[in-house]
Amino acid sequence: MADNILNPTSQILTRPKAKLNLGIQWLPIGIMLVALVAIFLLVLMLGSVQIPISEVVTVLLGGEASRSTWTTIVLQVRLPKAVTAVLAGSALGVSGLMMQTFFRNPLAGPFILGISSGASLGVALVVLTAGTVGGTVLAGLGFFGDLALAGAAGLGAGLTMLIVLLIARQIRSSMTLLILGLMFGYFTSAMVSILLYFAVPERIQSYIRWTFGTFSGTTWSQLWIFVPLVVIGLIGAFILSKTLNALLLGETYARSMGLDVGRSRIAIIGITALLAGTVTAFCGPIGFVGIAVPHLARSLLGTSNHRALVPATILMGAIVALIATIVAEMPGNQIILPLNAVTSLLGAPVVIWVILRRGNVSKTFAS
């Protein structure tokens, strides 16, 4: 049947009730909002140089800190990093939520299904063949270069997801689809390796640094591209909340409710590619956030209603990304850990919990 695209028994997405809980629990969302503001301020305070909270607030309100260097650090270094982390975490979380609902698979995500790998290939084609990479992701190409980078990443992510979708229509087993997603990842990695082999050493070194992932490489000029693209994607995801609720109960049910499944599929693919591709372009391939965050949001709210899950996932993704930023930079010293290593440490336990919650591995991948 059409509604058995992946795993019609993925009860972890639909089990809370046979029907959706249409109530929105505002208290958990309010708590997450307060936590987000507090952690956001922590990111602005902590680092190799500790800045008092009173000084941070003064700078954010337009004043001058008691030390001029503090003002520069907050406005030019830490604030762009914090804004990038908030938007990137939100985008990855929402893209993971949409794919888990669309594929009805608890382990679907931009990293696992090869979407991030496709975006990485698009970035590699631009970076290794078209421009020089500087200290930031694509410092040498300017505004139009950044736009080309985001477009290439989005195109790579969208094409990869389209291929996965076409294959998913022919395959019932979620285990098989996940394996194919990994194979897509290996295939794109092989393509990138070939590009690296023929690239100049400076670009190779910069590209490898980019693959570690970072939220601190985005400048204010790049945020003029990054912010609108992510915000458009997040708004589009919220608009699709009703569509996602219908698809959660199967395509047959969605069609019976008058939903145009074909158009909905295109919209979901487009928004997911936009979100995952944009984040990958400017921050690198960030793993596990897209898988873990939706499950954390579901557990906190106890509902499958996307009118609540989308904003909750936005907040939870931002919180997780900010926490990962704090851990990666190890406040008080000059050591900066690879962001991907930190997100893996935070996200892998959540994936393990998802599997154990299902009872055993075979149930997790049941078809």
Side-chain angles (χ1 to χ4, degrees):
M1 293 176 62
D3 57 343
N4 290 334
I5 290 180
L6 262 185
N7 185 3
T9 60
S10 292
Q11 298 172 4
I12 195 168
L13 298 181
T14 57
R15 185 179 291 179
K17 297 288 182 185
K19 59 182 181 179
L20 295 175
N21 178 7
L22 295 180
I24 298 180
Q25 301 180 20
W26 294 110
L27 180 59
I29 293 179
I31 293 175
M32 282 192 289
L33 184 59
V34 173
L36 174 60
V37 173
I39 299 173
F40 187 90
L41 292 176
L42 277 178
V43 171
L44 300 182
M45 293 170 53
L46 302 178
S48 58
V49 176
Q50 310 292 330
I51 302 177
I53 180 63
S54 58
E55 300 287 349
V56 170
V57 173
T58 298
V59 173
L60 292 179
L61 294 178
E64 287 289 333
S66 57
R67 300 182 185 179
S68 59
T69 54
W70 286 355
T71 301
T72 302
I73 290 173
V74 171
L75 293 181
Q76 301 302 323
V77 179
R78 296 183 182 175
L79 186 57
K81 173 182 64 180
V83 172
T84 301
V86 167
L87 292 175
S90 300
L92 292 175
V94 170
S95 63
L97 173 66
M98 295 179 70
M99 281 196 289
Q100 288 173 10
T101 299
F102 181 68
F103 287 114
R104 302 178 69 192
N105 189 306
L107 297 182
F111 196 80
I112 293 295
L113 289 179
I115 310 303
S116 294
S117 298
S120 297
L121 178 59
V123 171
L125 288 172
V126 173
V127 172
L128 299 177
T129 64
T132 301
V133 184
T136 59
V137 176
L138 232 186
L141 292 184
F143 178 85
F144 293 105
D146 294 332
L147 192 61
L149 185 73
L155 182 60
L159 290 176
T160 303
M161 188 170 181
L162 182 60
I163 293 172
V164 171
L165 175 63
L166 293 175
I167 294 176
R169 293 176 61 87
Q170 308 298 325
I171 295 176
R172 288 173 173 262
S173 172
S174 58
M175 169 67 90
T176 303
L177 186 67
L178 292 175
I179 293 174
L180 286 174
L182 293 175
M183 293 303 102
F184 278 123
Y186 284 123
F187 177 79
T188 54
S189 296
M191 295 292 293
V192 170
S193 296
I194 294 174
L195 291 173
L196 287 171
Y197 183 81
F198 291 102
V200 297
E202 293 80 6
R203 298 182 187 178
I204 294 175
Q205 184 178 6
S206 296
Y207 180 81
I208 292 176
R209 285 201 306 267
W210 172 80
T211 60
F212 291 156
T214 181
F215 294 138
S216 60
T218 308
T219 64
W220 281 115
S221 61
Q222 290 174 326
L223 284 175
W224 283 104
I225 300 174
F226 183 75
V227 173
L229 292 177
V230 172
V231 170
I232 290 172
L234 295 177
I235 293 174
F238 185 78
I239 293 174
L240 288 176
S241 295
K242 185 176 180 180
T243 298
L244 293 170
N245 283 341
L247 290 174
L248 187 63
L249 299 176
E251 289 192 6
T252 300
Y253 172 82
R255 287 192 178 93
S256 70
M257 297 296 293
L259 180 68
D260 189 328
V261 176
R263 291 184 179 179
S264 300
R265 182 182 295 119
I266 294 175
I268 292 173
I269 292 175
I271 292 175
T272 302
L274 174 65
L275 292 173
T278 301
V279 173
T280 302
F282 290 96
C283 304
I286 309 299
F288 282 100
V289 175
I291 302 177
V293 167
H295 291 294
L296 294 175
R298 288 191 194 93
S299 299
L300 184 62
L301 267 64
T303 179
S304 296
N305 179 15
H306 287 79
R307 289 180 56 216
L309 274 180
V310 171
T313 301
I314 289 174
L315 295 175
M316 183 64 73
I319 291 171
V320 170
L322 288 173
I323 292 175
T325 299
I326 294 175
V327 175
E329 299 197 355
M330 301 182 68
N333 56 64
Q334 301 292 331
I335 299 176
I336 300 179
L337 299 175
L339 183 61
N340 253 326
V342 175
T343 56
S344 297
L345 289 173
L346 296 176
V350 176
V351 176
I352 295 173
W353 168 73
V354 170
I355 295 175
L356 295 178
R357 188 181 179 188
R358 296 293 305 275
N360 56 51
V361 177
S362 62
K363 286 185 180 180
T364 302
F365 299 106
S367 58

